[in-house]
Amino acid sequence: MAGPLTDRHVVLGVTGSIASFKAVDLASKLVQAGALVDVIMTYGATQFVTPLAFRSITHREVVTDTYDVSSEFANEHVALARRADIVVIAPATVNCIAKLAVGLADDPLTTTVIASSAPLLVAPAMDADMYAHPATQENLEKLRQRGVTIAGPAPGRLASGLIGMGRLLEPVDLLGHISATLGRTGDLAGRTIVVSAGGTQEPIDPVRVITNHSSGKMGYALAEAARDRGARAVLVTAPTGLPDPPLVEVVPVQTAEQMADAVKREVAGADALIMAAAVADYRPASAADQKIKKSDDELTIELAKTTDILDTARGDFVRVGFAAESENLVANATDKVRRKSLDLIVANDITDADSGFGSDTNRVVLIDRELQVEELPLLTKYEVGQRILDRVRDLLSPSTT
Ligand code: PMT
């Protein structure tokens, strides 16, 4: 199944930092995501991890020496630069960043950067004082001005024992940054897409809530897919336990009413709203201030209707709803498209284990306002997100940005 990195050519530059060990994991995750990964190591990097480690993972030649005549690099030293869809340097030391800023080309990695027109992503890793040094900050700023993506660093415990800014981002976060950088000039560049996710929680008392089985996976995948096509992705999410997707603006909420307020705020000026959240239709009319004691045999909770967020969110933007159905999928979804006057509804069959709540895959039917029906095969939720965004793109009026 295809993802944002499938068949993409990634040149992974690794420089001499204790964080180089994380680059092995990054290479592995890139390969698992379907990327073709060519690793270039500086001399410093080879002092921390071996070329064999990368070779074993990528099954491709690892470049360490500009003048090794047995290597493809020595014979045609710009080949990797031309082949690259993206050049990623992770970890990038303070020395490497300084060399990039002045445009040096004194090793295979910096030579490749200078020779490549592919997007460049630099993930710094260094001690906090080195990161804070004005020279480093100036160099990073210079790279940013040139359109280079600077991913991280993160705060935390550093190899020196100091706590501060300088940790390499985790490989899973770097994957998000790489996907976003690859897609930054995509067909949704300049657009704002608001996505809702998760199951709202309606408090009964300070301990208990009414909720549902939504894991948030569908909404999160949609937001990532929008990000990977260049959009500003805003994710209004009920509690899910999922990590925040990198470079997605996350707006956490708990209840349907909080989600309604957040969506209303975020859709102002947005291009599309996609409601993948499973929003409670009813909430306790009033939540008890204290924990309800187990006294009587029966407990009755009065419920009040929540705001229909999708129905009330109207404006100059594309409106997409979901319909989670356990029977009469197309008929029930068609009814919702009409009643809520939607541009598109995603009818979600929740009867199979591989579709609907909690699964990594989904089986959906798209129904537009003309009631045209398109049945999609079983796809990953990310792929479903891409197919929905194809439709959103076609529905958007030409961008004035
Ligand atoms: O989160 P996952 O585990 O990945 O599961 C994904 C999903 C099954 C939750 C998702 O694909 C899905 O189908 N979401 C919509 C579920 C739902 O609540 O459907 P509905 O038929 O009850 O609501 C119809 C539409 O109105 C939905 O877009 C819903 O977000 C919206 N709605 C509903 C109630 C309400 N008060 N306000 C709303 O905006």
Side-chain angles (χ1 to χ4, degrees):
M1 298 208 176
L5 294 161
T6 308
D7 296 332
R8 303 312 293 267
H9 224 114
V10 179
V11 168
L12 175 61
V14 185
T15 67
S17 154
I18 182 60
S20 312
F21 78 93
K22 284 193 190 172
V24 180
D25 187 23
L26 175 61
S28 168
K29 287 192 162 59
L30 285 166
V31 170
Q32 287 172 50
L36 305 159
V37 184
D38 285 309
V39 176
I40 305 178
M41 300 175 76
T42 63
Y43 171 75
T46 64
Q47 302 305 296
F48 288 96
V49 281
T50 65
L52 183 61
F54 289 106
R55 192 179 179 131
S56 307
I57 281 168
T58 63
H59 307 287
R60 299 165 79 88
E61 185 190 343
V62 174
V63 177
T64 56
D65 181 358
T66 310
Y67 304 106
D68 174 1
V69 287
S70 64
S71 142
E72 183 198 352
F73 193 85
N75 298 320
E76 212 204 326
H77 67 283
V78 293
L80 286 188
R82 294 223 177 101
R83 211 187 290 156
D85 289 311
I86 185 166
V87 179
V88 176
I89 306 183
T93 58
V94 73
N95 183 49
C96 172
I97 290 166
K99 290 204 288 185
L100 295 173
V102 291
L104 283 184
D106 65 348
D107 61 25
L109 178 57
T110 46
T111 305
T112 301
V113 169
I114 283 283
S116 180
S117 54
L120 172 63
L121 184 150
V122 169
M126 62 196 67
D127 208 53
D129 292 334
M130 294 166 105
Y131 179 66
H133 195 284
T136 308
Q137 291 302 317
E138 272 170 34
N139 288 333
L140 286 169
E141 190 46 38
K142 240 185 226 174
L143 295 179
R144 271 190 209 100
Q145 297 288 330
R146 257 180 239 159
V148 175
T149 302
I150 309 295
R157 191 175 189 285
L158 306 170
S160 63
L162 280 177
I163 306 288
M165 207 63 173
R167 279 175 72 85
L168 181 67
L169 288 191
E170 293 305 318
V172 67
D173 292 328
L174 285 170
L175 282 192
H177 282 265
I178 294 168
S179 303
T181 303
L182 275 166
R184 70 183 171 191
T185 54
D187 57 1
L188 293 176
R191 302 293 192 174
T192 296
I193 311 286
V194 180
V195 179
S196 71
T200 60
Q201 296 183 351
E202 312 302 327
I204 298 170
D205 66 13
V207 177
R208 305 168 179 100
V209 293
I210 296 177
T211 188
N212 58 67
H213 293 302
S214 171
S215 64
K217 287 180 182 175
M218 186 63 242
Y220 277 56
L222 253 164
E224 288 173 349
R227 173 202 68 192
D228 295 347
R229 291 167 81 146
R232 171 177 168 245
V234 180
L235 179 64
V236 179
T237 178
T240 63
L242 296 174
D244 288 355
L247 303 178
V248 166
E249 288 174 39
V250 178
V251 182
V253 296
Q254 184 190 11
T255 64
E257 296 313 309
Q258 289 170 4
M259 187 171 274
D261 288 346
V263 166
K264 194 172 167 199
R265 207 174 46 242
E266 298 300 336
V267 291
D271 296 284
L273 168 65
I274 309 176
M275 287 290 299
V279 186
D281 290 323
Y282 292 91
R283 62 174 173 79
S286 63
D289 289 338
Q290 304 299 331
K291 183 180 172 191
I292 298 171
K293 298 280 176 247
K294 189 169 57 176
S295 46
D296 299 332
D297 285 345
E298 285 183 8
L299 172 69
T300 303
I301 298 172
E302 196 187 331
L303 299 178
K305 215 169 185 177
T306 59
T307 305
D308 192 314
I309 304 169
L310 190 53
D311 206 12
T312 49
R314 308 252 175 166
D316 189 18
F317 51 86
V318 172
R319 293 163 60 247
V320 180
F322 271 69
E325 303 293 343
S326 54
E327 57 179 356
N328 304 328
L329 182 68
V330 172
N332 287 342
T334 302
D335 181 48
K336 280 178 192 164
V337 121
R338 277 209 203 97
R339 263 196 296 119
K340 300 193 186 193
S341 184
L342 300 175
D343 296 298
L344 186 73
I345 198 152
V346 184
N348 204 156
D349 181 351
I350 56 163
T351 55
D352 281 344
D354 56 7
S355 177
F357 294 107
S359 56
D360 291 327
T361 50
N362 214 356
R363 193 186 304 279
V364 303
V365 178
L366 305 181
I367 305 168
D368 63 20
R369 56 165 58 249
E370 277 77 44
L371 308 185
Q372 300 285 333
V373 175
E374 183 189 4
E375 234 175 274
L376 299 185
L378 186 71
L379 297 168
T380 63
K381 284 185 171 168
Y382 184 85
E383 288 171 316
V384 170
Q386 291 289 7
R387 300 290 283 266
I388 295 167
L389 291 170
D390 286 345
R391 302 291 286 265
V392 169
R393 176 206 51 212
D394 294 346
L395 286 162
L396 285 167
S397 51
S399 175
T400 48
T401 55

